[in-house]
Amino acid sequence: MQAYSRINRISNIKYGITGFFRQNKIKIFVLIFLAVLGILTGVFTALKSGISVYNSQDYNLFVFTNGNLFSFDIFFSRMLSHITVIAVISLGSLTIFLLPFSYLIYIYRAYLIGFNCTLLIVLFGFSGIFTSIVIIIPCQIAVTFVFIVYFCIMINRAIEKRRFGYCEKPKFLKVFLITLLILTLLNVIETLLLICLNGNTILVI
């Protein structure tokens, strides 16, 4: 009986996940496209900025590139960044007229990912490539995926409020706290990887 109940619960979770992605596939595609666009813009900007290993101190990057942030300062700085992003995205759930601000911070964050990884490679060469490919890109893809799911939920809440004047499910606080918990775990993983592998960093995103 317990085995059947467990199987039924797992089946319901799978159905809920597949149903969510099926219903929000257009939104997900648009958000992925915007993330890629933001990343490419960041890459292009970094390449055109003229920043190199010889003039990085002129851009106030020295404090970030010499390892002074390799402590839990990284964790708290990134946590503040995550909270800021989900807070602004959450504004979009209040009304569809606030959604543009949610899109802007989402795209800007993607821009910073591309900018950061490109500067790491420019300034640190092989070490920057290693840090970007092994640590930053995988972790940031996971974080961006969490933001995409959360963004879709907030968009749906805004649309439902627009149509019916209220939104009962999913409960905002529950979704917010679960998202924050997942982002915290991903933050811990990325921070520990940077510390353990002695990875370089420039921007704490």
Side-chain angles (χ1 to χ4, degrees):
M1 190 67 179
Q2 290 182 349
Y4 174 79
S5 177
R6 189 180 302 110
I7 292 173
N8 188 49
R9 195 181 304 115
I10 294 173
S11 178
N12 289 336
I13 293 174
K14 288 182 178 179
Y15 178 79
I17 293 174
T18 55
F20 175 84
F21 284 102
R22 186 169 56 250
Q23 294 171 6
N24 295 279
K25 57 185 177 182
I26 296 178
K27 298 185 189 73
I28 292 171
F29 174 81
V30 170
L31 290 172
I32 291 175
F33 173 79
L34 291 176
V36 172
L37 183 63
I39 290 171
L40 292 178
T41 303
V43 171
F44 178 80
T45 304
L47 292 174
K48 290 294 184 180
S49 67
I51 298 175
S52 69
V53 67
Y54 303 106
N55 63 3
S56 60
Q57 295 187 38
D58 297 336
Y59 293 87
N60 295 321
L61 295 176
F62 182 71
V63 64
F64 298 99
T65 60
N66 67 359
N68 288 340
L69 286 182
F70 288 169
S71 67
F72 275 95
D73 289 343
I74 293 176
F75 173 83
F76 291 113
S77 296
R78 188 178 294 111
M79 201 70 250
L80 179 61
S81 172
H82 290 172
I83 292 173
T84 300
V85 173
I86 61 174
V88 176
I89 291 177
S90 298
L91 290 176
S93 71
L94 301 177
T95 170
I96 59 174
F97 299 110
L98 292 176
L99 282 176
F101 296 101
S102 303
Y103 280 106
L104 282 175
I105 195 167
Y106 172 80
I107 296 171
Y108 179 67
R109 188 182 180 282
Y111 163 85
L112 290 179
I113 294 173
F115 188 83
N116 183 45
C117 289
T118 304
L119 285 188
L120 281 175
I121 295 171
V122 169
L123 295 177
F124 298 104
F126 178 79
S127 175
I129 294 173
F130 176 83
T131 301
S132 296
I133 294 177
V134 175
I135 303 174
I136 294 179
I137 292 176
C139 290
Q140 292 303 319
I141 287 176
V143 170
T144 301
F145 174 78
V146 174
F147 281 133
I148 287 174
V149 172
Y150 185 77
F151 206 159
C152 287
I153 294 174
M154 293 301 105
I155 293 173
N156 292 337
R157 287 179 59 88
I159 293 173
E160 192 167 336
K161 281 188 175 181
R162 176 70 172 173
R163 289 178 178 173
F164 308 109
Y166 66 94
C167 180
E168 291 186 354
K169 294 184 178 181
K171 296 295 185 181
F172 169 76
L173 184 59
K174 180 180 179 180
V175 174
F176 181 88
L177 292 177
I178 291 175
T179 302
L180 190 60
L181 175 61
I182 296 173
L183 291 174
T184 302
L185 293 175
L186 291 172
N187 188 5
V188 169
I189 293 171
E190 185 172 358
T191 303
L192 290 178
L193 285 173
L194 284 170
I195 294 173
C196 294
L197 298 179
N198 196 29
N200 297 303
T201 187
I202 295 177
L203 301 175
V204 181
I205 305 170

